[in-house]
C-alpha cells in the first residue's frame, strides 16, 4: 500500500472531539484509561448486606448457584439537581439513568470546549438506555405513590425521554433520538449520529448510552449468558459467559473538515460505520449469525475505504460465551479474508473482561476504550485469557489475543481500529476508527463559534 492510499480521505470522516463517561471502577474517562492500561478488573464481589439492601432475599442468597458479583457504578444516587433546575422532588422521581446521561452530556460538551448557549450551530443528541428498574422502587414507596401522578412517573421514567430531556435542559436544537437495539444501542446511536452529521441535520452530535440497574448478583443457569464465577473470559477455553455491569458514556462528534477548520482537539476519527440485522436465518431470536456480522464489518470497512490489513486492533463484542465468541471470530475472519490472507497481525480484546457487560452502554464503553488506545498509542490487555476456545483457530486467522499492555507500532498508514457491538435480537453495529490528525486552526475568534 502506498502512502497516498494509506492516508486517503473520503470526505465522510467524523471527528470525535470530546468524551465523558463513568464506568465500574472509573469515575471519569481518564480513570477508565488507567484501569484499562493497568489490566484491572472492576467486577465487585458483593457482600450479603449490600445485596439485602438491593432487595435480594435470604433464599436466593443461600442458593449455591447465586453469583454475588457485578460491575458496580459508584454514586448513582448522587445528582446535582439544582444545577439542572430540578427540585428535590423532581429529582427523586427521575430515573437515575436519565440523571447520569444528562450529567454526562453536559460534561462531554464541556470537554469538547463548547457552550450550547452561545454555539451558533445545531447540536443533536442520540442515545439509548437500559431497562428502568428504579420505577419498581418508586411504586413500592407508599409516599411516592400517594404524591406523584402516573403521568409524572411516566415522564420521569420512560426511555422515550432520555435524549429529549438533554435537549431541553441544555437547549440543544438538533435532532434528539432515542435508539433502542438492546446491547448494541449506544454504538448504533453513534452510527446514527454520524449519518445525521453527514446529511447536515446537525453540526455537532452527542452520542452514547447508559445502563444502571440494581447493583446485585444473578443466578447462574447452565447455557445462559452469565458466567458461573462472576468473571468474563472472552475467547478463552474456560469461557462460560459474561457478568452484568453499569455505566454511562457519551462522545461528541463533528464532521472532520469542520473540526479541523475550527481548531478542535480531535481524539480520533470515525472513518466508517455500518448497521444491519441478522434476520430470520439463525437458530433462535437471541442467537448470533456469522454472515450478518461479517457483512456489517465489511460494510463499515468499505465505507471507510481502508484495507483490512491497515486495521491492527479490534475491540470485540466479546461476551465470553461458548457460542458467541467462535461466531464473532469467524465473522471477523470472513470480513478480513475478502482482502487479505495475512495471519496474526491484528490484536483483539474485549472491555467486558474489565467491567462486565454494560447492556445499552456496552458499545460506547468499547468505543471509548478504542479511542483511548489510539490517543495513547497503546493496546490494553484482555483479562483472564489463558488458552483459546478450541472452536477458534486463531493461528490461521488475522487475529491474536492481546494479553499484555503493548505499544501500538506506527506504520506508513495511521493507526486504525475496529469496534463491534451486537444486540440481542440481531441488530449489529461496527465502526472503523483512525487516530486523530493535526488541525488547521480557524483564524476567526473562538468566541464567535461558541467555544468555552
Amino acid at each position: 500500500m502506498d502512502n497516498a492510499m494509506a492516508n486517503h480521505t473520503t470526505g465522510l470522516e467524523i471527528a470525535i472531539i470530546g468524551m465523558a463517561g463513568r464506568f465500574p471502577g472509573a469515575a471519569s474517562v481518564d480513570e477508565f484509561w488507567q484501569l484499562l492500561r493497568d489490566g484491572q478488573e472492576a467486577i465487585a464481589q458483593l457482600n450479603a448486606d449490600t445485596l439485602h439492601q438491593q432487595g435480594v432475599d435470604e433464599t436466593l442468597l443461600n442458593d449455591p448457584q447465586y453469583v454475588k458479583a457485578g460491575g458496580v457504578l459508584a454514586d448513582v444516587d448522587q445528582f446535582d439537581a439544582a444545577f439542572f433546575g430540578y427540585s428535590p422532588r423532581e429529582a427523586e422521581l427521575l430515573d437515575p439513568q436519565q440523571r447520569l446521561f444528562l450529567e454526562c452530556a453536559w460534561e462531554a460538551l464541556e470537554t469538547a470546549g463548547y457552550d450550547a448557549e452561545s454555539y451558533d450551530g445545531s447540536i443533536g443528541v442520540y442515545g439509548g438506555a437500559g431497562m428502568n428498574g428504579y420505577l419498581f422502587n418508586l411504586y413500592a414507596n407508599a409516599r411516592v405513590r400517594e404524591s406523584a401522578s402516573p403521568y409524572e412517573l411516566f415522564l420521569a421514567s420512560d426511555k422515550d425521554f432520555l435524549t429529549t430531556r438533554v435537549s431541553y435542559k441544555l437547549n440543544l436544537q438538533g435532532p434528539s433520538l432515542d435508539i433502542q437495539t438492546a446491547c448494541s444501542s449506544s454504538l448504533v446511536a453513534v452510527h446514527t449520529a454520524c449519518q445525521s452529521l453527514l446529511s447536515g441535520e446537525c453540526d455537532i452530535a452527542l452520542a452514547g448510552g447508559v445502563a444502571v440497574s440494581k447493583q446485585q448478583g444473578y443466578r447462574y443457569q447452565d447455557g445462559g449468558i452469565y458466567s458461573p464465577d462472576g468473571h468474563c473470559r472472552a475467547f478463552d477455553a474456560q469461557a462460560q459467559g459474561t457478568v452484568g455491569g453499569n455505566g454511562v458514556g457519551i462522545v461528541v462528534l463533528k464532521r472532520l473538515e469542520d473540526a479541523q477548520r475550527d481548531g478542535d482537539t480531535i481524539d480520533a476519527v470515525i472513518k466508517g460505520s455500518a448497521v444491519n440485522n441478522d434476520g430470520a436465518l439463525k437458530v433462535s431470536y437471541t442467537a448470533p449469525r456469522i454472515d450478518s456480522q461479517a457483512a456489517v464489518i465489511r460494510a463499515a470497512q468499505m465505507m471507510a475505504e481502508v484495507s483490512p490489513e491497515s486495521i491492527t486492533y479490534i475491540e470485540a463484542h466479546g461476551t465470553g460465551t461458548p457460542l458467541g465468541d467462535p461466531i464473532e471470530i469467524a465473522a471477523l475472519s470472513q470480513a478480513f479474508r475478502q482482502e487479505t490472507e495475512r495471519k496474526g497481525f491484528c490484536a483483539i480484546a474485549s472491555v467486558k473482561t474489565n467491567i462486565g457487560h454494560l447492556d445499552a452502554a456496552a458499545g460506547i464503553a468499547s468505543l471509548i476504550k478504542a479511542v483511548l488506545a489510539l490517543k495513547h498509542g497503546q493496546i490494553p490487555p484482555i483479562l483472564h485469557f489463558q488458552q483459546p476456545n478450541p472452536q477458534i483457530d486463531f493461528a490461521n486467522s488475522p487475529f491474536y489475543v492481546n494479553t499484555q499492555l503493548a505499544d501500538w507500532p506506527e506504520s506508513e498508514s495511521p493507526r486504525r481500529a475496529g469496534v463491534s457491538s451486537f444486540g440481542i435480537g440481531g441488530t449489529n453495529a461496527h465502526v472503523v476508527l483512525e487516530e486523530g490528525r493535526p488541525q488547521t486552526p480557524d483564524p476567526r475568534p473562538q468566541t464567535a463559534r461558541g467555544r468555552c
Side-chain angles (χ1 to χ4, degrees):
M1 183 188 304
D2 63 43
N3 198 53
M5 284 298 294
N7 294 280
H8 170 68
T9 58
T10 66
L12 301 177
E13 288 84 1
I14 300 294
I16 298 174
I17 62 171
M19 300 186 290
R22 303 179 195 175
F23 307 98
S28 67
V29 167
D30 288 341
E31 289 185 14
F32 188 42
W33 174 247
Q34 179 89 26
L35 181 146
L36 296 169
R37 187 192 64 191
D38 294 346
Q40 296 178 354
E41 184 184 45
I43 303 301
Q45 300 303 309
L46 307 172
N47 61 47
D49 289 342
T50 299
L51 293 169
H52 274 306
Q53 292 173 8
Q54 294 290 325
V56 181
D57 64 43
E58 197 68 34
T59 302
L60 191 56
L61 279 177
N62 293 329
D63 187 334
Q65 297 290 88
Y66 188 76
V67 181
K68 304 178 181 70
V72 174
L73 191 65
D75 299 328
V76 295
D77 59 339
Q78 303 298 304
F79 178 58
D80 193 345
F83 181 84
F84 293 103
Y86 283 108
S87 69
R89 180 180 177 277
E90 288 175 317
E92 180 186 26
L93 298 182
L94 194 59
D95 177 9
Q97 295 182 115
Q98 303 215 19
R99 301 179 208 154
L100 285 166
F101 194 79
L102 176 58
E103 288 184 332
C104 199
W106 185 88
E107 183 183 345
L109 264 181
E110 186 181 49
T111 67
Y114 282 91
D115 176 4
E117 293 292 346
S118 58
Y119 179 61
D120 59 8
S122 65
I123 301 176
V125 190
Y126 306 79
M131 181 182 292
N132 177 10
Y134 182 68
L135 186 59
F136 297 105
N137 293 340
L138 293 179
Y139 276 123
N141 186 314
R143 176 182 56 80
V144 171
R145 288 199 312 272
E146 292 168 2
S147 63
S149 70
Y151 185 64
E152 286 179 294
L153 293 175
F154 167 62
L155 288 177
S157 303
D158 198 88
K159 289 179 179 179
D160 286 0
F161 310 121
L162 177 74
T163 59
T164 51
R165 176 168 278 108
V166 171
S167 295
Y168 174 65
K169 286 295 181 179
L170 303 188
N171 191 26
L172 312 182
Q173 299 178 38
S176 190
L177 303 180
D178 295 337
I179 308 293
Q180 296 299 150
T181 62
C183 323
S184 59
S185 295
S186 54
L187 203 62
V188 174
V190 170
H191 167 79
T192 307
C194 290
Q195 297 300 306
S196 288
L197 286 163
L198 293 174
S199 69
E201 289 181 330
C202 57
D203 302 295
I204 289 176
L206 306 179
V210 59
V212 177
S213 61
K214 285 188 175 183
Q215 306 196 71
Q216 58 189 40
Y218 55 89
R219 190 179 187 279
Y220 169 72
Q221 292 180 308
D222 189 32
I225 65 169
Y226 292 110
S227 76
D229 62 358
H231 301 290
C232 178
R233 295 179 168 83
F235 311 118
D236 190 76
Q238 299 302 313
Q240 297 184 68
T242 191
V243 57
N246 297 270
V248 56
I250 293 177
V251 293
V252 185
L253 308 175
K254 197 176 188 183
R255 291 179 291 272
L256 177 61
E257 58 186 20
D258 294 346
Q260 291 176 321
R261 178 200 66 207
D262 294 343
D264 295 310
T265 297
I266 298 173
D267 294 324
V269 174
I270 295 176
K271 289 283 292 180
S273 64
V275 170
N276 72 3
N277 191 272
D278 292 337
L281 298 180
K282 55 183 183 178
V283 297
S284 72
Y285 173 70
T286 61
R289 181 182 170 203
I290 294 174
D291 289 348
S292 52
Q293 288 186 14
V296 80
I297 294 162
R298 187 64 186 141
Q301 293 173 351
M302 292 178 70
M303 180 185 176
E305 296 185 13
V306 300
S307 165
E309 284 194 10
S310 71
I311 299 170
T312 49
Y313 172 51
I314 293 290
E315 177 56 31
H317 186 62
T319 53
T321 59
L323 175 66
D325 285 357
I327 285 178
E328 181 166 11
I329 298 302
L332 281 161
S333 297
Q334 183 175 310
F336 273 61
R337 285 294 181 236
Q338 294 192 39
E339 283 197 33
T340 181
E341 293 299 321
R342 283 185 61 198
K343 300 175 183 178
F345 67 88
C346 184
I348 194 165
S350 170
V351 74
K352 292 177 180 65
T353 63
N354 301 92
I355 61 174
H357 191 342
L358 303 195
D359 187 55
I364 198 66
S366 296
L367 184 77
I368 289 173
K369 175 189 173 184
V371 171
L372 290 168
L374 286 165
K375 280 185 65 175
H376 293 277
Q378 292 182 305
I379 300 176
I382 198 170
L383 306 185
H384 311 307
F385 184 85
Q386 296 180 340
Q387 297 292 328
N389 183 316
Q391 297 183 60
I392 300 175
D393 185 9
F394 278 116
N396 291 304
S397 81
F399 311 104
Y400 65 94
V401 181
N402 188 67
T403 59
Q404 295 182 346
L405 179 67
D407 290 333
W408 196 335
E410 293 184 288
S411 66
E412 62 181 14
S413 64
R415 297 182 181 97
R416 294 188 181 123
V419 182
S420 291
S421 189
F422 309 131
I424 287 177
T427 295
N428 309 305
H430 189 79
V431 171
V432 176
L433 292 172
E434 185 173 280
E435 63 184 325
R437 305 174 183 187
Q439 313 91 291
T440 302
D442 192 320
R444 294 177 294 164
Q446 288 190 342
T447 52
R449 302 193 307 279
R451 297 298 297 271
C452 294

